[in-house]
């Protein structure tokens, strides 16, 4: 393996340690290498804390150690003032000679300006090492910055024939404990978790995270008529939920649902305006959204082109009846959305399948 790829891989691994914790900022890791050896490394832990480059510089034995060294960072160093000073200034003060960058920052305040500033100061800057891996890691940040909406992941636990419940309605448990724990790990790494009113009323989900050391994502409910019961578990289990409602919602019930926040939305095809919901979430700093159902919400996301990722937990069972994880009007073969296989993991007797939305044919 080329040394640049080796150390960029380490920077990516460091960045991933904070998955689900950094929004509205990206995940960034940094490694400082001198004479072929790492001398300092760090990662951005959460918004308001030191950026990865500064954390790596602080980890040095002495400030002089960075002079003439190479800095590996998976995202372009920032050159603007935010909650923290520009990283480019810290890099120049440290005497770094070479900077290897995974990807250009899509933020409108950046988009190559940090790279240009370093090059103008005489540094050797290489861009695009493990770029696809860097883009995949920060796919949610990129979505928020370039599309104004979160990266949307659909998640479902299904049988081999695609069922999420038996014909009699029984759905606990489709998958085993290992797969359920993996599902909670997804919640831990998401900024928000969303369900529709059908799932809310049928299952009374808590929508909290029960993985060891996990934290709760923001619960989001699509409840156009505001039918959420006052004793719903989601109101007390963790973080107060955000409830999107439609024009026909009974807002007189809002006080009984405290501490939930009620956000009115325009009506959309089949219910609420999903595009407006996603824009609102992005404005609140939600970059990654995990959608756990129900089947009609999944179908609405797919039909609107918002399904960026699919995580299926596949149980070795056959039901030959019962609800499927995707409902609503069928697609024809010609119009069927395409997914690209990414990975597969085993969770006890179950399989975890991961797919990303495939580009349209004209997009390559």
């Amino acid at each position: 393996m080329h040394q640049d790829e080796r150390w960029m891989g380490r920077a990516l691994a460091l960045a991933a340690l904070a998955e689900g914790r950094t929004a509205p900022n990206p995940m960034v890791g940094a490694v400082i290498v001198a004479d072929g050896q790492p001398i300092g490394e760090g990662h951005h832990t959460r918004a308001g804390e030191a950026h990865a480059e500064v954390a790596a510089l602080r980890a040095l034995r002495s400030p002089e150690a960075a002079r003439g060294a190479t800095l590996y960072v998976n995202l372009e160093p920032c050159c603007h003032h935010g909650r923290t000073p520009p990283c480019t200034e810290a890099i120049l003060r440290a005497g770094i000679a070479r900077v290897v960058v995974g990807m250009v920052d899509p933020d409108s305040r950046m988009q190559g300006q940090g790279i240009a500033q370093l090059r103008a100061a005489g540094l050797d800057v290489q861009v695009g090492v493990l770029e696809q891996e860097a883009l995949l890691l920060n796919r949610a940040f990129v979505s928020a910055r370039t599309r104004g909406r979160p990266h949307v992941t659909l998640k479902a636990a299904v049988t081999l024939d695609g069922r999420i419940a038996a014909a009699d309605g029984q759905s606990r448990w489709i998958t085993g404990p290992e797969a359920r724990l993996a599902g909670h790990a997804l919640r831990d790494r998401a900024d928000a978790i969303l369900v529709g009113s059908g799932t809310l009323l049928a299952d009374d989900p808590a929508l909290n995270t029960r993985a060891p050391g996990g934290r709760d994502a923001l619960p989001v409910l699509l409840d156009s008529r505001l039918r959420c019961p006052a004793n719903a578990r989601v109101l007390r289990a963790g973080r107060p939920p955000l409830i999107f409602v439609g024009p026909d919602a009974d807002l007189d019930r809002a006080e009984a649902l405290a501490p939930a926040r009620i956000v009115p939305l325009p009506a959309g095809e089949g219910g609420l305006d999903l595009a407006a919901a996603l824009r609102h979430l992005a404005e609140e700093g939600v970059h990654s959204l995990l959608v756990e159902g129900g089947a009609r919400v999944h179908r609405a996301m797919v039909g609107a082109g918002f399904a960026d990722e699919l995580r299926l937990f596949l149980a070795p069972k056959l039901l030959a009846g019962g609800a499927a994880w995707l409902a609503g009007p069928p697609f024809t073969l010609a119009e069927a959305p395409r997914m690209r296989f990414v990975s597969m993991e085993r969770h006890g007797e179950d399989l975890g399948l991961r797919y990303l939305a495939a580009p349209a044919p004209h997009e390559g």
Side-chain angles (χ1 to χ4, degrees), residues 78-331:
C78 68
C79 62
H80 60 83
H81 284 271
R83 296 188 188 182
T84 57
C87 291
T88 51
E89 293 182 2
I91 293 169
L92 294 174
R93 285 196 305 269
I96 295 284
R98 181 171 180 255
V99 179
V100 181
V101 177
M103 60 174 281
V104 174
D105 191 335
D107 192 305
S108 60
R109 296 170 295 179
M110 294 292 300
Q111 296 179 337
Q113 294 185 57
I115 293 167
Q117 186 179 105
L118 294 175
R119 284 176 172 162
L123 274 67
D124 176 11
V125 183
Q126 182 176 351
V127 182
V129 174
L130 298 187
E131 183 178 31
Q132 291 307 309
E133 290 85 347
L135 285 165
L136 180 62
L137 177 70
N138 270 311
R139 60 199 180 280
F141 174 74
V142 172
S143 178
R145 288 293 179 269
T146 62
R147 302 187 294 189
R149 68 166 180 83
H151 176 91
V152 177
T153 299
L154 308 186
K155 177 253 179 182
V158 303
T159 61
L160 291 176
D161 53 342
R163 309 295 178 173
I164 58 173
D168 61 3
Q170 184 177 354
S171 61
R172 295 190 177 184
W173 294 100
I174 293 291
T175 54
E178 296 92 341
R180 296 199 295 274
L181 184 61
H184 279 275
L186 292 181
R187 291 183 178 184
D188 171 61
R189 297 193 294 269
D191 297 327
I193 175 173
L194 179 148
V195 298
S197 58
T199 297
L200 171 70
L201 297 174
D203 299 341
D204 189 23
L207 299 185
N208 56 4
T209 300
R210 296 184 287 279
R215 66 91 175 93
D216 293 335
L218 170 69
V220 179
L221 311 177
L222 295 180
D223 190 9
S224 60
R225 289 185 284 167
L226 196 54
R227 295 184 295 164
C228 179
N231 62 348
R233 290 200 299 161
V234 71
L235 299 176
R236 308 286 181 266
R239 295 174 61 178
L242 185 155
I243 306 178
F244 286 121
V245 301
D248 298 328
D250 181 7
L251 296 180
D252 291 338
R253 299 193 62 247
E255 186 175 346
L257 302 179
R261 289 185 293 140
I262 311 299
V263 177
L265 287 181
E269 185 176 348
L272 296 173
D273 185 335
L274 290 181
L278 295 179
R279 284 195 302 271
H280 182 94
L281 291 174
E283 289 167 1
E284 290 207 358
V286 171
H287 289 179
S288 57
L289 176 65
L290 183 66
V291 180
E292 293 201 3
R296 294 193 178 279
V297 172
H298 282 156
R299 176 61 175 81
M301 289 289 184
V302 172
F306 296 145
D308 302 308
E309 189 167 342
L310 175 61
R311 303 298 285 261
L312 287 180
F313 292 94
L314 195 61
K317 301 172 182 175
L318 296 167
L319 287 175
W325 72 271
L326 197 62
F331 295 106

